[in-house]
Amino acid sequence: MEAAGAAGQLRQEGNRLFQAGDYAAALASYTRALELGAGPPECAVLHRNRAACHLKLEDYAKAEADASKAIEADGHDVKALFRRSQALQKLGRLDQAVYDLRRCMSLEPKNKAFQEALHDLGSSMQEKMKLMSCTDSKVEQMFQILLDPKETDTDKKQKAAQNLIVLAREEAGAEKIFQSNGVRLLQLLLDTGREDATLAALRTLAGLCSGHRSRTMAILAELGAPRISAMLGAEHEQVSLAACNLLQVMFDALKEGLQRDFRGKEEALVLDPSKELKLLIAHLLEMLTREGASAHGRNNTLNLLIKVVPRKSLRDPNNSLTLWVIDQGLKKILEVGGTVCEAPGSLLATENSRMSAAVLLSKLYSDLKCDAERETFHRLCEDYVRSWFEGHGLAGKLRAIQTVSCLLQGPSEAGNQVLELEGIMESVLALCASVREVDQLVAVEALIHAADKAKRASFITANGVTLLKNIYKCSGRDSIRIRALVGLCKLGSAGGTDFSMKQFAEGSTLKLAKQCRKWLCNEVIDAGTRRWAVEGLAYLTFDADVKEEFVEDKAAVQAMFQLAKSEDRSVLFAVASTLVNCTNSYDHEEPDPQMLELAKYAKQHVPEQHPKDEPGCVRRRVHKLLAAGVVSALTGMVKSENPALTNSCRELISRVFLAVVEEAVDRGSVVAQGGGKTLILLSLEGTEVGQAKAAQALAKITITSNPEMAFPGERIYEVVRPLVSLLHVHRTGLENFEGLMALTNLAGISERLRQKILKEKAVPMIEGYMFEEHELLRLAATECMCNMAMSTEVQELFLAEGSDRLKLLVLYSGEDDEKLRRAASGTLAMLTSLLPPICRKITQVTDHWLEILQALLLSPNEELQHRGAVIVLNMMAGREIAAKLMESEMLEILSVLAKEECDKPRVAQAAKECLAQAVACGLIKPNVNGE
């Protein structure tokens, strides 16, 4: 009975909120009433009322669902039927909307609202029929134009193709094309062999498959997986990209099923898609080693495999697809990764191909769940490398070494194990002295990748400098010299940022850096070779002198930014590493002074900071990079859909962003150059550290900027989740504080934002920080709660039994910290205005409530006095509490404050209203002047 009574009260409250226009709050009340377990008739009414809220909030799918639940309980519920018809009409399902309206008419034939709605809907259906009829003729006309070999008007053909693509993107248009024998006609377009026709067909097919599993399977059956996958290898780059997009859409449709609401009618037609998935992946794996496939086609194939094979989340226990790909295609992936482009008869590949192969191998390896699976992976890699290393002469050894390089760049654990195979390291060292350029290129690159990852080859660090110096000095080829220089840079940066541990003589590092910058700026050299100059700088910029010279060299900085935009995306990690070093945005902890003294006493090495790594120098470098356009460069790097943008790379970019928004004055320009949008992307994907750094940068922007301008439109709602992530207990105190400050700003903007914060379950975390010992965290949490208390759901938390929330606010209103008092008393003023029951509860949570209110009114701070006066005024609404207030010294305090009209008009007005309320209750009498 108690639950039923509470549900009834919540329904009445929901009705009141709905009448007041607060549809979100009304929806919340109806939902809570349902959760209390009301009886079937009450549930039907609540579902019907929720449907009305959803209609007002324009969430038509949910409106239909709730109305349907009400109709299931009572098939004659005319209000539910009408609301469902309204939702169905908005969802475009006019035939079903008419059916519901006709049922309404049969129940209430004289209802004029139903008559008008049915008339309007009939008109809408007639218009739709005309449109569909018109669409039929348009589809036929578009195909005629595209398939007519005599049609010479290029503009006309382009317009027809574009119209067809746009039509396919809408569900109704896609279904019409599909039902009008469109797949066969699109196949004819593909048969023409013309690039424009092929592009139009592929892009239209992508529209037909998007989010629709049964159409996807039908198209696969009609066109065949071999034909679709073969188009990936097309010479024309746009055709290859369009085929890649089509396959991506097909994979999504097959893996995720229907993403739109088809009311179950498709499911009966859909078979298990796992067979089609494996068939498509098998053809992709075959594409990797197919002769004649273009280099960009191979890249697109690798990118697709990276996206569709590994599990999206390690929480998913099923990694069978990864195991199947390793069994069926690991050797094919290694073949791409081990390709020596300069060798005769090799596969067409680029630096991007090898990098993509390394990323795919790394993703597959990371997706393995146990040692047995990893052992199988290691064995397959060892067998492949050994098969080329033995019995294939020099060409085989080169291929084996190139494969080892690929593994070291990807799953390095597997690479290290393969590197230990007998003869591999000896061959690498021997080939470094070869007279053939291709041999030296492969060997030096392998030496570079092995320098910090090889277990057995640790002697490289000791002996590698001499070997690489000889190559650097004696080679006549820039492509070899630049790689040797990178090896020297890598070995020379072993001391990291420790100023006291230098591997080279004074000035040698600066000379190497100068040569790197020279090569970087030389546009005559190809981008693939110049990339190695950035790799060198990524190591050398650990040195503060190198950082200073680099940021001063505007041409070199711009050249690096331009290189980051080039087709060779394998440079991204090196660019990001260089920027992290220049901005000092790597992690560094301040050493404990006592531990330093102990280390010195024990004659242990103590790291030393370079004078040019002092905060002032770092800020100057950041400003120079900002002036050079670092934000635009970083934004461009993140936008690139490329496997080279690994999670580690994303983390480095996040670190740089956090460094450039450190000063409030720079944040506006960061947002203006697209930094805000980029940071949202970085905060939602990547390593945990990278996401936290991006979220902290977003918090800094939100704290000092107008969030509605920094994140316009719907983007402002995307910022909430990253900010809430900063509140988790494993984050630092600074991250917690900045997250709370940013959420405070957002919570003060609109109810929709407050609802978003509630949905992300932030309120319990905010509440937790109100109990923190750290005064700044406590203050920030209280201010945030003050803004969140404008939401009904949050207000009701303060009425909950057994909670200390309200007591904490009352006690904080009496603290010495003025800012904390202001936040707490402001929340109390709001709560007592909106929730009258709070007034009585204040008198129950602590015996000191009266003393605290009096202290607020006696405060020298006018704002605190005003908030105290408002709380007292709200509490005067109840005669019992008003009597207690008037029996105390409060009467005298209010009388004094009421006279301060000149100095404190707001406080005086509130005090007068308190006294007037006391007079109205008969607790005091007005004076002779009637005041």
Side-chain angles (χ1 to χ4, degrees), residues 893-905:
I893 296 169
L894 290 170
S895 300
V896 173
L897 291 175
K899 296 174 183 177
E900 298 188 8
E901 293 175 327
C902 297
D903 297 332
K904 301 174 182 177

Side-chain angles (χ1 to χ4, degrees), residues 167-185:
L167 188 64
R169 287 175 183 160
E170 296 291 332
E171 172 52 31
E175 189 62 23
K176 181 52 62 180
I177 294 171
F178 185 75
Q179 296 295 343
S180 304
N181 204 20
V183 179
R184 187 186 65 80
L185 294 170

Side-chain angles (χ1 to χ4, degrees), residues 269-515:
L269 307 173
V270 176
L271 302 172
D272 179 10
S274 58
K275 182 181 175 183
E276 279 72 16
L277 273 171
K278 286 188 175 179
L279 182 65
L280 276 175
I281 291 173
H283 284 292
L284 290 180
L285 292 171
E286 185 186 331
M287 167 63 64
L288 290 177
T289 54
R290 182 179 298 171
E291 288 186 21
S294 61
H296 50 256
R298 200 160 274 117
N299 291 347
N300 289 334
T301 305
L302 287 165
N303 294 351
L304 256 180
L305 288 168
I306 289 167
K307 290 175 183 176
V308 302
V309 175
R311 290 172 291 170
K312 297 291 184 187
S313 170
L314 294 180
R315 294 175 187 170
D316 178 4
N318 184 9
N319 69 339
S320 59
L321 195 56
T322 292
L323 296 176
W324 184 81
V325 168
I326 289 172
D327 181 59
Q328 299 292 315
L330 181 62
K331 290 183 179 179
K332 291 182 173 69
I333 300 165
L334 289 171
E335 191 169 340
V336 178
T339 296
V340 180
C341 296
E342 297 80 0
S346 64
L347 295 173
L348 291 174
T350 64
E351 284 291 336
N352 281 338
S353 306
R354 288 200 289 270
M355 173 59 75
S356 297
V359 172
L360 177 56
L361 289 166
S362 181
K363 294 267 187 184
L364 293 173
Y365 190 80
S366 300
D367 206 32
L368 300 177
K369 295 193 294 185
C370 61
D371 289 341
E373 292 175 358
R374 284 184 277 274
E375 281 302 318
T376 301
F377 189 95
H378 290 160
R379 178 177 52 77
L380 289 170
C381 291
E382 287 178 18
D383 290 347
Y384 179 84
V385 170
R386 195 182 285 113
S387 71
W388 278 103
F389 192 73
E390 299 169 358
H392 286 85
L394 180 59
K397 285 182 168 54
L398 278 178
R399 192 174 192 103
I401 292 168
Q402 187 77 291
T403 306
V404 173
S405 284
C406 179
L407 285 167
L408 286 168
Q409 288 177 281
S412 57
E413 189 177 330
N416 279 327
Q417 196 155 322
V418 173
L419 196 64
E420 293 181 25
L421 292 174
E422 187 179 352
I424 296 288
M425 274 309 306
E426 289 78 3
S427 295
V428 170
L429 296 172
L431 287 171
C432 281
S434 172
V435 294
R436 291 203 318 160
E437 182 178 8
V438 63
D439 299 351
Q440 278 195 311
L441 283 173
V442 172
V444 172
E445 284 187 26
L447 194 64
I448 291 167
H449 296 311
D452 62 350
K453 292 177 181 169
K455 296 175 184 175
R456 183 171 158 240
S458 58
F459 69 92
I460 295 174
T461 305
N463 304 314
V465 173
T466 304
L467 176 64
L468 292 169
K469 274 185 178 178
N470 288 335
I471 296 172
Y472 177 62
K473 289 177 181 177
C474 302
S475 177
R477 304 182 184 97
D478 279 347
S479 58
I480 301 293
R481 292 183 68 221
I482 198 168
R483 285 165 173 79
L485 183 143
V486 171
L488 289 170
C489 296
K490 193 171 188 178
L491 296 171
S493 63
T497 58
D498 186 354
F499 178 49
S500 62
M501 288 186 68
K502 295 298 169 189
Q503 303 295 310
F504 298 138
E506 189 70 31
S508 297
T509 306
L510 287 172
K511 287 179 183 176
L512 289 173
K514 186 176 180 181
Q515 184 61 56

Side-chain angles (χ1 to χ4, degrees), residues 217-228:
M217 293 177 77
I219 289 167
L220 262 176
E222 184 80 20
L223 297 180
R227 178 170 191 178
I228 298 170

Side-chain angles (χ1 to χ4, degrees), residues 791-861:
S791 284
T792 307
E793 292 94 323
V794 179
Q795 293 164 17
E796 290 176 354
L797 292 174
F798 289 92
L799 285 173
E801 293 298 326
S803 165
D804 287 333
R805 296 182 184 96
L806 186 60
K807 180 179 180 180
L808 191 67
L809 281 180
V810 176
L811 293 176
Y812 279 176
S813 298
E815 284 283 318
D816 293 333
D817 185 337
E818 191 173 282
K819 289 182 179 178
L820 182 61
R821 290 179 77 191
R822 192 164 61 226
S825 59
T827 311
L828 282 178
M830 185 191 307
L831 289 172
T832 51
S833 298
L834 298 170
L835 282 179
I838 286 282
C839 299
R840 176 172 292 280
K841 196 162 184 182
I842 286 174
T843 66
Q844 299 167 351
V845 293
T846 174
D847 294 336
H848 303 288
W849 66 274
L850 191 55
E851 180 185 330
I852 289 168
L853 290 178
Q854 289 173 355
L856 282 173
L857 290 170
L858 292 170
S859 169
N861 184 300

Side-chain angles (χ1 to χ4, degrees), residues 229-248:
S229 57
M231 284 185 283
L232 265 175
E235 281 296 329
H236 192 277
E237 193 166 354
Q238 289 300 315
V239 170
S240 177
L241 278 171
C244 180
N245 180 58
L246 171 59
L247 283 163
Q248 174 74 65

